[in-house]
DNA sequence: CTGGGGAGGGGGCCC
DNA sequence: GGGGCCCCCTCCCCA
């Protein structure tokens, strides 16, 4: 027979014990303020504490002390209250920091609630926006002072009831659900949140131009628009002041998205916001330069704490394994070096530029693959008939900075004007000489080559025959780096 | 509109 | 820790 009130009663008792400082065996120091709690409760609630306490579990006689400088005492109070009551006091003001702290503490339930909270705020604001648009459309012809009062009322209205207490429903279908089992649902909710945020951020931008601009700037197309977009990633979480200043982040968040920090309100037509927008856009453009990215990345790497986080495996009594947690997302890795590599997708750092076309890459191997396939025709496959070709059965065709191979048959069918040239895969160094990282393989090839470079001919086809010299007119300087 | 291939990007892991 | 390899995924282009 199951007594349904037992769990809540037990939690209430634990909460009372906490308030009366009874049996508290863990002190949590948050920016100088001490919170007392029970180890077993913290252990059961947080992946971070699970790891922390399991490592210090040998010394049970002494109270455990945990120190945090990455979030405020008020934020931790909200989280601790939730742990002991199941009630999460979220407001428009604290939701970001609570979400960030929950991410740090690996409390996925709170994360999900925060995301739902933000998403519902976005939905509300979407409705308000529609309402505002219809109002302003109606009043445009009649009311000389249309927009701001209506908007302000809207905001006041939203502010009038800023605090929402969210009780997390008991949604654990199978008993073993913890951080990992709810991870997928967390990710899916994050996708929803990202879409919402992307939708929100689009309001202040020129519609449809994002992709073109990104291409113009030579940035990657796909992932940065999703979870790894640097600016989005920054605003998504890290409250750790050792990484990036919180104030700057919030300013960026606020300016870029035109979102009220208090209530995620929508401010269409606000002139001040428009001005901030232009500044923010300028900053955004500046922040995309390789130099800025490298500086930012360097700052991040140097300030990176030894342990960014932990994640428990939590499988049938296994002790949690130490992992490095990304401060910007939920990704964890085994090795610090892998984390550093992963962080490039957040910082935007691209230390490996291609000298031939200027495109920059996060990894040397990607640059090499790019250079070999695009500029060296490294694949011994006829691009047209897909047959294997050798140096004897085919030749290299150049189209702009792109090279590929064609078998003699396909070459004859294509009827290209061929310019006899020597194809030497090692004739170019793909890495710029502007102080960027130079890989060993590129240096070796550079030593073999005669600093020969290729003219940028985007619309001309040049067929390069093997073992013949490159005409002098083709030997021109490499196109400078685009970024 | 759709499927296939190319290119780019990221993760895991080995050396 | 860096370099490198392998694998997988996503996006884009093109037929």
């Amino acid at each position: 027979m199951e007594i349904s009130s037992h769990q809540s009663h037990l939690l209430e008792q634990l909460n009372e014990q906490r308030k009366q400082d009874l049996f508290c065996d863990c002190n949590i120091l948050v920016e100088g303020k001490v919170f007392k709690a029970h180890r077993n409760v913290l252990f059961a609630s947080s992946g971070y504490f699970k790891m922390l306490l399991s490592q210090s579990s040998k010394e049970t006689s002494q109270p455990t002390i945990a120190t945090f400088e990455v979030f405020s005492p008020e934020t931790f109070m909200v989280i601790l209250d939730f742990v002991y009551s199941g009630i999460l006091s979220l407001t428009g003001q604290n939701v970001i920091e609570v979400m960030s702290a929950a991410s740090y503490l690996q409390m996925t339930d709170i994360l999900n609630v925060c995301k739902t909270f933000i998403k519902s705020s976005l939905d509300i604001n979407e409705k308000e926006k529609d309402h505002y648009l219809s109002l302003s459309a109606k009043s445009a012809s009649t009311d000389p002072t249309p927009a701001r009062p209506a908007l302000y009322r809207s905001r006041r209205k939203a502010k009038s009831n800023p605090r929402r207490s969210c009780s997390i429903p008991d949604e654990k279908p199978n008993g073993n659900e913890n951080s990992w089992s709810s991870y997928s649902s967390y990710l899916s909710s994050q996708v929803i949140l990202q879409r919402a945020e992307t939708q929100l951020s689009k309001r202040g931008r020129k519609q449809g131009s994002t992709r073109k601009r990104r291409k113009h700037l030579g940035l990657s197309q796909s992932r940065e628009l999703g979870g790894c977009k640097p600016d989005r990633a920054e605003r998504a979480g890290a409250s750790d002041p050792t990484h990036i200043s919180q104030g700057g982040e919030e300013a960026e968040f606020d300016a870029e998205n035109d979102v009220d920090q208090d209530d995620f309100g929508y401010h269409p037509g606000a002139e001040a916001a428009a001005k901030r927008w232009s500044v923010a856009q300028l900053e955004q453009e500046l922040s995309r330069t390789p130099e800025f990215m490298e500086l930012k990345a360097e700052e991040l790497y140097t300030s990176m704490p030894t342990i960014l986080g932990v994640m428990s495996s939590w499988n049938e009594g296994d002790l949690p394994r130490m992992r490095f947690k990304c401060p910007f997302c939920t990704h964890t890795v085994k090795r610090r070096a892998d984390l550093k590599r992963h962080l490039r997708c957040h910082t935007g750092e691209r230390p490996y530029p291609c000298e031939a076309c200027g495109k920059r890459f996060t990894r040397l191997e990607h640059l090499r693959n790019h250079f070999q396939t695009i500029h060296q025709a490294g694949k011994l496959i006829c691009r047209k008939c897909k047959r294997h070709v050798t140096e004897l059965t085919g030749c290299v065709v150049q189209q702009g900075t792109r090279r590929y191979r064609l078998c003699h048959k396909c070459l004859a069918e294509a009827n290209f004007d061929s310019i006899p040239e020597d194809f030497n895969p090692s004739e170019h160094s793909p890495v710029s000489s502007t102080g960027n990282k130079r890989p060993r393989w590129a240096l070796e090839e550079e030593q073999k080559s005669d600093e020969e470079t290729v003219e940028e001919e985007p619309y001309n086809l040049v067929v390069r025959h093997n073992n013949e010299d490159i005409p002098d007119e083709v030997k021109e300087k490499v196109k400078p780096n685009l970024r």
Side-chain angles (χ1 to χ4, degrees):
Chain A
M1 181 174 177
E2 184 179 334
I3 301 174
S4 59
S5 63
H6 174 68
Q7 293 174 357
S8 59
H9 181 67
L10 187 63
L11 202 59
E12 284 172 15
Q13 285 300 311
L14 285 169
N15 201 13
E16 281 301 313
Q17 288 178 20
R18 173 176 72 105
K19 288 173 180 173
Q20 296 171 21
D21 194 9
L22 283 173
F23 311 117
C24 291
D25 49 6
C26 187
N27 296 335
I28 304 109
L29 195 63
V30 184
E31 290 184 353
K33 188 172 181 181
V34 179
F35 294 88
K36 291 183 179 295
H38 301 96
R39 264 196 284 217
N40 49 5
V41 174
L42 296 174
F43 189 96
S45 308
S46 155
Y48 182 92
F49 280 110
K50 195 171 287 172
M51 181 63 206
L52 187 75
L53 295 170
S54 65
Q55 290 206 330
S56 63
S57 60
K58 294 165 189 170
E59 302 167 5
T60 51
S61 59
Q62 297 293 325
T64 302
I65 299 173
T67 306
F68 296 103
E69 299 289 338
V70 294
F71 40 74
S72 66
E74 293 76 21
T75 301
F76 187 71
M77 174 81 85
V78 170
I79 289 178
L80 199 59
D81 283 343
F82 162 74
V83 165
Y84 276 89
S85 67
I87 297 172
L88 190 64
S89 299
L90 280 183
T91 69
Q93 285 133 329
N94 72 6
V95 62
I96 294 294
E97 198 177 357
V98 168
M99 187 167 73
S100 166
S103 172
Y104 190 89
L105 296 171
Q106 297 162 43
M107 303 173 78
T108 51
D109 286 343
I110 296 182
L111 270 175
N112 288 334
V113 170
C114 289
K115 290 169 193 305
T116 307
F117 181 91
I118 293 173
K119 188 172 181 298
S120 63
S121 297
L122 294 173
D123 291 341
I124 289 167
N125 291 321
E126 276 295 335
K127 287 171 187 170
E128 286 179 355
K129 173 192 161 191
D130 293 342
H131 176 64
Y132 159 75
L133 287 175
S134 60
L135 271 182
S136 57
K138 285 177 186 173
S139 59
S141 56
T142 56
D143 189 358
T145 57
R148 283 178 186 255
L151 171 69
Y152 214 72
R153 280 198 302 275
S154 171
R155 288 186 59 198
R156 291 293 115 196
K157 192 178 176 183
K159 270 190 172 179
S160 64
N161 187 20
R163 180 176 288 268
R164 269 183 260 173
S165 290
C166 306
S167 296
I168 297 180
D170 192 13
E171 52 182 8
K172 295 185 179 178
N174 38 34
N176 200 24
E177 177 160 348
N178 208 311
S179 57
W180 284 115
S181 52
S182 57
Y183 192 64
S184 57
S185 63
Y186 160 62
L187 286 179
S188 58
S189 67
Q190 190 171 27
V191 167
I192 293 170
L193 182 72
Q194 284 166 7
R195 284 178 186 162
E197 288 179 350
T198 306
Q199 196 179 0
L200 191 64
S201 67
K202 278 178 182 172
R203 290 173 184 159
R205 298 182 184 176
K206 289 181 181 176
Q207 293 289 335
S209 64
T210 307
R211 182 177 178 81
K212 284 181 181 177
R213 188 179 55 185
R214 296 180 67 80
K215 271 202 163 184
H216 168 69
L217 291 166
L219 294 169
S220 65
Q221 311 97 334
S222 54
R223 309 239 173 169
E224 289 176 0
L225 290 170
C228 287
K229 183 183 174 186
D231 52 0
R232 201 216 71 78
E234 282 172 20
R235 89 178 81 102
S239 68
D240 190 344
T242 58
H243 302 315
I244 294 171
S245 79
Q246 174 108 1
E249 271 184 55
E250 287 180 353
E252 185 181 346
F253 181 35
D254 199 4
E256 180 176 348
N257 287 336
D258 196 12
V259 170
D260 186 17
Q261 198 175 330
D262 291 335
D263 58 6
F264 291 81
Y266 179 57
H267 315 248
E271 290 176 12
K275 283 178 184 173
R276 281 190 302 157
W277 252 106
S278 57
V279 173
Q281 283 175 330
L282 274 174
E283 286 174 352
Q284 193 178 354
E285 296 300 320
L286 278 174
S287 69
R288 294 183 192 281
T289 62
E291 293 78 11
F292 182 88
M293 296 292 189
E294 279 193 37
L295 277 174
K296 185 180 166 189
E298 200 60 39
E299 182 188 356
L300 185 70
Y301 297 151
T302 52
S303 64
M304 195 192 303
T306 309
I307 300 173
L308 281 167
V310 290
M311 180 65 76
S312 65
S313 61
W314 209 242
N315 285 328
E316 295 174 8
D318 288 352
L319 276 180
R321 289 178 302 159
M322 182 68 72
R323 292 178 70 92
F324 293 93
K325 183 181 178 301
C326 173
F328 300 126
C329 67
T330 58
H331 183 59
T332 62
V333 292
K334 285 181 182 177
R335 302 193 323 147
R336 189 186 175 88
D338 285 339
L339 178 61
K340 186 176 179 180
R341 186 179 71 174
H342 165 78
L343 283 173
R344 283 189 191 141
C345 78
H346 295 300
T347 64
E349 186 195 20
R350 290 170 177 270
Y352 303 103
C354 173
E355 182 124 319
C357 67
K359 192 170 175 59
R360 303 179 74 98
F361 297 88
T362 57
R363 293 196 217 166
L364 179 60
E365 62 198 278
H366 291 163
L367 168 61
R368 185 178 52 214
N369 289 337
H370 160 81
F371 191 77
Q372 287 178 349
T373 56
I374 301 299
H375 306 303
Q376 285 189 334
K379 289 182 179 175
L380 298 175
I381 296 171
C382 173
R383 191 181 176 89
K384 194 173 178 188
C385 67
K386 310 297 179 189
R387 288 181 193 154
H388 182 265
V389 294
T390 64
E391 304 276 320
L392 297 174
T393 61
C395 59
V396 175
V397 175
Q398 179 168 330
Q399 188 170 21
T401 57
R402 287 200 174 204
R403 299 186 190 197
Y404 49 87
R405 293 175 189 268
L406 286 177
C407 65
H408 290 315
K409 188 181 173 186
C410 292
L411 181 64
E413 289 175 359
N415 197 23
F416 290 146
D417 293 333
S418 63
I419 299 175
E421 284 186 70
D422 176 34
F423 172 67
N424 178 7
S426 62
E427 66 184 356
H428 307 293
S429 168
V431 182
S432 80
S433 56
T434 57
N436 287 296
K437 295 182 182 178
R438 301 178 77 83
R440 197 180 307 131
W441 61 273
L443 289 174
E444 288 168 357
E445 290 179 352
E446 191 177 16
Q447 286 166 4
K448 287 190 286 183
S449 72
D450 294 322
E451 299 286 340
E452 291 163 348
T453 52
V454 169
E455 181 183 14
E456 173 76 2
E457 295 176 354
Y459 302 108
N460 294 333
L461 276 175
V462 180
V463 179
R464 301 200 158 190
H465 294 291
N466 297 328
N467 305 322
E468 293 182 40
D469 292 330
I470 298 176
D472 289 340
E473 60 269 22
V474 182
K475 300 176 183 175
E476 290 187 12
K477 284 191 177 178
V478 171
K479 176 184 169 188
N481 286 344
L482 297 174
R483 284 176 283 176

